[in-house]
């Protein structure tokens, strides 16, 4: 075995502290040792390439800076010289020796030990190659709210097939129901219209298969090669021919056929088979008779199971609201005029139960409305985080109330006000100028008591000498994960964080990526966030996919992965328990565990856990580490 | 301090994870503050790769001490390799006592990529501890584990 050692002087940064000549004297196992001024420079790389071609070593040790700096530089140079780059081991003599060991003799000794360890190790290293596999370029998106829609339209525009799945009969998520959106008080459906149009009828709509009233029921496979099953419940209405005129709605004695809400897209009715008389064995075809277009209503529509192959999956299933009945002191569910924010949103809506007239449960015009902020948020007994959007919609409510009832008094009862970014201040700034708008700060949600008194609501706060009489109270509950997160997380092996939101690969650097390769996160299923952030995350997820899986390009698999010795594996599955990436599957036929190289990140936890030592990690084998230990200590 | 012991320069092997602790060591290097040279570092991708056998092998090969440095809880690049490393360290510490190897010869700590100073502190502390314990001699000889590999 010919093992060459290259010593980088790093200009003179290293050689001033560590004399390469003295190191040479101490090395026993090197076939040759050469020093060079600055090996990462163009001349240095040239020198390395030419010298490797001339010397033809079997293995190389490079003593230089931290591998975090130039390992890839040298790997590329070695590859250019026609050698496998994994047959090189770098030794960090700058950060770990030259810069921190004062005594020159010791520095030489330590350098010699390091190089000796590297030689022993590198002699055992094996050539490794990046593997390539084919990848499917279609994408599954679960959830057609702002995040999912944005991702769908971007991916479709890139010429990719998208399967967009939503459990409800209409797409658009929650904001399509909001008549005003903070901070600019735009109309929600108007704001979303262009993107809904894009997805359903736009230039690239042919690339998007929108499946409503549908849910993903099974996912197998891995990054680049998922197979998914989607269950589509019957709509009993032909989406292609229904024009959403609503002629069928009135005649239905059961209110079983309806457009989900005014302006819903796709603009089509659907039949709720749990309410429809036909599905209770009775004769009725009033809706079909009322429909002006033939064959729109199809009572024989059946549940469909679609099977699709996709390369990547985006989870964009949104979030829900914290259950306010956990706070009996706030009177929710007990007092008639205590509402949650989403109920209040409906009361304000022109398509809501009062057609937008703001009135109390007995029909009176409210003189005073209290808005309770932070219900369940910023509270370790409930949800230890800020829900981000509540301050903004609370001040949106403030403005909407003022537009409808200019005389109304509004009380903001809050724990903290969080008004971030360039838009965060706008609505608060408008709200606070009115003398009819009061701000009262509380410490703990437990301190608030809401009771009925003289046909009004009486709000008192313990520790503060204040009693507020209001006609209505609006609670702003925490944004919380939806129940489906658990089930979808289980199906896709994606982990949930301590709050139940989907866990990111990295909270700051990779917040649109889950810990499972090929599964991306967008929108409030990952954390509370506003519509702008949801849209951005949708785009982020789309760009990860568009750059990661490219048509005509194979997926590259890094060679530093775990490998299980098939002959010796006893099938105990301990490795599966410790693998953080679900990269180890069990082969029932042979009774052994198998590593999926595509999912494996090469951490080596399984190798350390294997009770019989039959798992190795490429480039970090037990044998290699043992050799390094021996060399270092010799 | 350790009068009479100062001439003893222990050999210590440090297993550092690639993403946090190794980067922390680099940070200490860039700061160019001298620290004891006794710890020879082996890089692993994750502290979860540190098989207890690596530690035993180091002791058997003549190390007087072993240091394992990992990412802080919650920071592991591989989610939870550092927790696995911690569990293994705890069990291994008990085992070492049975071989008459003082617990202080094995140290586990968390060092982030930003904690150059903490890295130096961890190095200094294990070097001081092992210096005061003196050279390691293993009951039954240094090759007692060798047969098993």
């Amino acid at each position: 075995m010919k093992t060459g050692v290259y010593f980088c002087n790093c200009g003179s940064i290293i050689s001033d502290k560590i004399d390469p000549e003295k190191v040479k004297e101490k090395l026993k196992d090197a076939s040759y040792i050469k020093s060079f001024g600055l090996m990462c420079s163009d001349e240095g790389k040239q020198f390395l390439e030419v010298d490797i071609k001339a010397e033809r070593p079997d293995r190389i040790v490079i003593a230089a800076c931290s591998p975090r700096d130039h390992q890839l530089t040298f790997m590329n140079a070695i590859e250019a010289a026609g050698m496998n780059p994994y047959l090189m081991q770098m030794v960090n003599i700058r950060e770990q020796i030259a810069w921190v060991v004062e005594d020159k003799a010791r520095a030489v000794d330590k350098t010699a030990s390091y190089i000796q360890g590297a030689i022993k190790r590198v002699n055992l290293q094996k050539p490794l190659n990046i593997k390539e596999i084919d990848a499917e370029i279609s994408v599954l998106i679960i959830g057609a709210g702002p995040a999912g829609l944005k991702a769908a339209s971007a991916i479709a525009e890139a010429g990719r097939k998208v399967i967009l799945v939503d459990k409800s009969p209409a797409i658009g998520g929650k904001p399509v129901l909001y008549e005003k959106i903070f901070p600019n008080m735009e109309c929600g459906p108007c704001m979303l219209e262009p993107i809904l149009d894009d997805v359903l009828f736009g230039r690239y709509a042919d690339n998007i298969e929108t499946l409503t009233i549908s849910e993903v029921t099974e996912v197998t496979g891995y990054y680049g090669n998922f197979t998914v099953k989607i269950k589509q419940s019957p709509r009993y209405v032909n989406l292609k021919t229904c024009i959403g005129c609503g002629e069928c709605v009135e005649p239905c004695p059961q209110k079983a056929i309806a457009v989900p809400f005014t302006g819903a897209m796709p603009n089509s009715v659907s039949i709720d088979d749990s309410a429809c008389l036909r599905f209770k064995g009775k004769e009725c075809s009033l809706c079909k008779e009322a429909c002006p277009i033939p064959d729109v209503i199809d009572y024989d529509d059946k549940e469909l199971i679609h099977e699709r192959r996709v390369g990547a999956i985006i989870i964009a299933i949104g979030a829900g609201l914290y259950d306010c009945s956990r706070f009996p002191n706030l009177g929710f569910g007990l007092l008639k005029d205590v509402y949650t924010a989403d109920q209040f949103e409906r009361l304000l809506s022109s398509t809501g139960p009062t057609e937008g007239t703001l009135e109390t449960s007995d029909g009176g015009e409210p003189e005073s409305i209290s808005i309770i902020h932070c219900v369940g948020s910023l509270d370790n007994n409930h949800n230890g985080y800020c829900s981000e959007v509540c301050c903004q919609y609370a001040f949106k409510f403030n403005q909407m109330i003022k537009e409808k009832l200019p005389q109304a008094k509004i009380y903001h009862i809050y724990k903290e006000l969080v008004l971030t970014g360039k838009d965060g201040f706008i609505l608060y700034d408008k709200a606070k100028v009115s003398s009819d708008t009061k701000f009262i700060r509380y410490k703990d949600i437990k301190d608030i008591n809401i009771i009925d008194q003289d046909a009004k609501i009486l709000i008192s706060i313990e520790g503060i000498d204040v009693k507020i009489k209001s006609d209505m109270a609006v609670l702003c509950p925490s944004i919380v994960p939806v129940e489906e997160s658990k089930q979808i997380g289980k199906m896709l092996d994606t982990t949930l964080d301590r709050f139940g939101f989907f866990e990111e690969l990295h909270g700051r650097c990779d917040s649109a990526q889950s810990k499972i390769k090929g599964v991306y996160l967008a929108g409030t299923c990952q954390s509370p966030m506003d519509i702008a952030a949801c849209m951005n995350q949708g785009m982020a997820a789309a760009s990860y996919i568009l750059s990661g899986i490219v048509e005509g390009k194979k997926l590259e698999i890094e060679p530093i992965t775990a490998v299980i010795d098939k002959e010796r594996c006893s099938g105990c599955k301990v490795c599966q328990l410790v693998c953080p990436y679900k990269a180890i599957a069990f082969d029932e036929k042979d009774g052994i565990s198998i590593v999926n190289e595509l999912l494996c990140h090469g951490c080596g936890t399984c190798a350390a856990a294997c009770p019989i030592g039959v798992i190795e990690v490429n480039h970090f084998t037990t044998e290699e580490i043992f050799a390094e230990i021996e060399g270092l200590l010799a | 301090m350790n009068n009479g012991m100062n001439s003893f320069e222990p050999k210590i092997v440090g297993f550092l994870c690639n993403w946090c602790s190794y980067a922390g060591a680099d940070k200490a290097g860039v700061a160019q503050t001298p620290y004891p040279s006794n710890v020879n570092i082996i890089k692993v991708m994750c502290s979860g790769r540190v098989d207890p056998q690596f530690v035993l092998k180091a002791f058997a090969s003549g190390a007087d001490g072993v240091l394992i440095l990992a990412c802080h809880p919650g920071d592991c690049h591989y989610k939870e390799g550092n927790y696995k490393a911690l569990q293994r360290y705890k069990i291994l510490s008990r085992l070492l006592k049975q071989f008459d190897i003082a617990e202080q010869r094995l140290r586990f700590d968390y060092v982030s990529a930003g904690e150059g100073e903490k890295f130096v502190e961890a190095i200094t502390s294990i070097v001081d501890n092992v210096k005061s314990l003196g050279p390691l001699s293993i009951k039954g000889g240094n090759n007692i584990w060798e047969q098993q590999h």
Side-chain angles (χ1 to χ4, degrees), chain A residues 66-68 92 95-96 99-100 102 106 110 114 515 580-581 603 605 607-609 620 622 629-630 632-633, chain B residues 9 11 22-23 26 29 32 34-35 37 39-43 45-46 48-49 54 57-58 77-79 88:
Chain A
S66 170
R68 293 173 63 249
N92 181 354
E95 277 81 350
Q96 288 180 14
W99 277 341
V100 293
E102 279 183 314
R106 271 202 193 170
K110 187 162 178 167
Y114 266 34
K515 299 230 170 180
Y581 303 103
C603 66
T605 300
F620 290 89
T622 302
I629 294 170
E630 281 173 10
L632 278 180
L633 293 169
Chain B
E9 287 299 341
K11 287 182 175 174
Y22 196 91
D26 276 355
Q32 301 194 24
Y35 59 82
S37 66
V39 182
N40 285 355
I41 290 167
I42 293 179
K43 185 181 81 172
M45 292 311 282
C46 177
R49 174 69 186 102
F54 295 177
K57 172 73 184 175
H77 185 83
Y78 303 102
K79 296 207 256 194
R88 289 173 190 143

Side-chain angles (χ1 to χ4, degrees), chain A residues 9-61:
Chain A
N9 294 339
C10 195
S12 62
I13 290 175
I14 292 176
S15 55
D16 278 352
K17 298 283 174 65
I18 309 165
D19 184 348
E21 296 308 315
K22 291 202 171 128
V23 174
K24 279 180 199 172
E25 288 163 20
K26 289 194 176 268
L27 287 182
K28 292 176 290 218
D29 299 333
S31 306
Y32 62 87
I33 169 165
K34 297 182 183 181
S35 55
F36 191 85
L38 192 61
M39 207 121 70
C40 62
S41 66
D42 286 343
E43 295 78 28
K45 285 183 277 185
Q46 186 68 28
F47 157 74
L48 202 55
E49 198 182 321
V50 171
D51 200 70
I52 291 168
K53 280 178 180 162
E55 289 279 2
R56 302 203 150 274
D58 300 302
R59 299 288 187 276
I60 291 174
V61 171

